[in-house]
Amino acid sequence: MALRDTSLPETSGPVRTSGTALVGEERDRLLGGAHHDPHALLGAHPVPGGVLFRALRPNAREVSVLVDGVRSPLVSEGDGLFSAVLPYPEIPAYELVVAYEDGGAGEQTVHDPYRFAPALGELDLHLIREGRHEELWKALGAEPMTHEGVAGTRFTVWAPNAQGVRLAGEFTFWDGTQYPMRSLGAAGVWEVFLPGIGEGARYKFEITSRYGHRFLKADPMARLTEVPPDTASVVTSSRYAWDDAEWMAHRGDTPVHRAPMSVYEVHLPSWRPGLTYRELAEELPAYVRDLGFTHVELMPVAGHPFSGSWGYQVTSYYAPTPRLGSPDDFKFLVDALHRAGIGVIMDWVPAHFPKDDWALARFDGDPLYEPGDSRRAEHPDWGTYEFDFGRTEVRNFLVANAVYWCEEFHIDGLRVDAVASMLYLDYSRDSGQWAPNVFGGREDLDAVAFLQEMNATVYRRCPGVVTIAEESTAWEGVTKPTDSGGLGFGLKWNMGWMHDSLEYVQKEPVHRKYHHHDMTFSMVYAYSENYVLPISHDEVVHGKQALVSKMPGDWWQRRANHRAYLGFMWAHPGKQLLFMGQEFAQGAEWSEKHGPEWWLLADDYHSAADHRGMRDLVRDLNTAYRDAPALWQRDTDPGGFQWSMCDAADDNVFAFVRYAEDGTPLLAVSNFSPVVREDYRLWAPEQVPAWQEALNTDAPEYGGSGVRVGDAGTLCPEDGRLRLTLPPLATVWLTPAR
């Protein structure tokens, strides 16, 4: 707010105060924060005999109107209200001069917020009302702007059930009395433009419910928040200049299901504890690029009050967590990853939100973002609320949020969390705790429509972006296009493959023959969807053990099993995802407080070579994978896969061939037995006269025993069969000899 010398002459014209005082219900509603149109009472309004000026300035000693350098004092009505009729033929350009009892701050000359027309247009309100505002973040929230020639911030919020909404902030000492907001009609949006308020200002909305309760709420559309445990919203504006134009222009050149995709899953706060977004930008891109991953997947980045939720209980859907820096700092990290040639996938959580009383829960005193039906509102597993997917404005809030991250932060993919919990009305609910849909079924038709709309909108607006479903059931058509009745996702996590394959490798080798089908069953349905094979954070916490610790046997055998499993995984149809720490065989479960056990790789650690060998294998897997189109070009084409051996249960052996679009094959053979199998015979494609070893997880540099598939550099089939030596607890990849 401008502070300047206000020792100006006062008006000598007549000032009428009789009958100007605000009385009765209008006064009570205004001062009680329950008035829908404070602009009709405050500001300047033509009346018989001149212009009525009224200001609401709690704790002010004097308020004057300043026009063309001339001051005219207003008369106190009590309770912070000041008014007078001044003899102007029409409303002039004016400012207010406000003096407080505490003279230390001096007099303030300010623009009157109640002289401005709404700073939100009719088209915005129409789109909000229809649930079709795809750039909702540009209409709601706090937007620094110049309005009618004056710099300030427009504040808008959706609260259709409120009696009144006021703005409170550090600039009002968290008292909302001074800045009541006006309702903009049927859209349920409240608005006020505050001159002189700019970036960095902390604020909340003070809402009076229709029941008369008054409470403070953080802005659902805030683009910056205080660092938890503080909960205020913060006015911000981005000034970031992107430097990833080449990446953005070409990221969609090849459809994701036909491109190499190897994902490194990261929890940013704990990957290198203590690093900010900008400091992470110095280390994470280089590390991921060195290991050959094509993408990172970031566990939820959106604002969340409880760090122990790992980001999966979101309260601020439009604000990156401020624990690591500002929104522009997060953009800097994404930009750095793009410049390193790495795509950025972000976990997105539209299934539920926590019940914090300062956030989304019962936002305007009634269920708003959550359903009114208690059977639908409560999420039984997580103690949270579910979103009301049947309400157009709520659906718009989420669809626009998906677009927001992709457009404003250049995110390349959204991995949608807990899709199964959204799709079924009876998810984790017993009989009597849910109501069927209009057709008598258990499917949540509103959630289905939301997911279809979200996917269709993101793919239309954001070329090159992929959406990925974490969906743990056999719901049909998750990755089927929406115009064919599918949900419209690009990819789906293959939870069945993850569960079955881990079930197999955790068995002692002597018992694995009884579970052989766990490793082959995935090929029965491998082409029903476009799949990602996930070894995610969920598999290495809560007593499930780290990946290497799941394996049976001594330390050498556990590492060998680990290596063989990754070799099998990278060759299997589908993209692959590996959680941080598992690339170097950390033995302890992941802790969000401590992150990966980097000390295992230190020079002075006695077993560092074991962990470095595992990391070297992951690097070579990614390199060989990227160089072998057979492993990714036909991931969704059944013609790109052929079993070489699928029934060798007694041997714990699996062998299959992958084919590139030009027919070039790759033969992957896994021996999940701790014995060397010599002179082992396998079928191989007849068109290949000789094969060579492209990768062997038993190589000495990875910590293996060094058994090779053959003495010579190449293997030649005899009568359509290859005779080779299978290393123990190992996977080998063979390609046509050059």
Side-chain angles (χ1 to χ4, degrees), residues 552-567:
D554 59 23
W555 175 233
W556 189 94
Q557 290 176 326
R558 291 203 303 271
R559 288 184 293 119
N561 271 292
H562 189 158
R563 294 192 302 269
Y565 181 73
L566 293 184

Side-chain angles (χ1 to χ4, degrees), residues 671 675-681 707 709 723-727:
N671 175 20
V675 300
V676 177
R677 300 197 180 278
E678 297 180 351
D679 199 27
Y680 204 83
R681 302 187 69 189
V707 174
V709 295
R723 302 165 70 99
L724 66 164
T725 299
L726 299 185

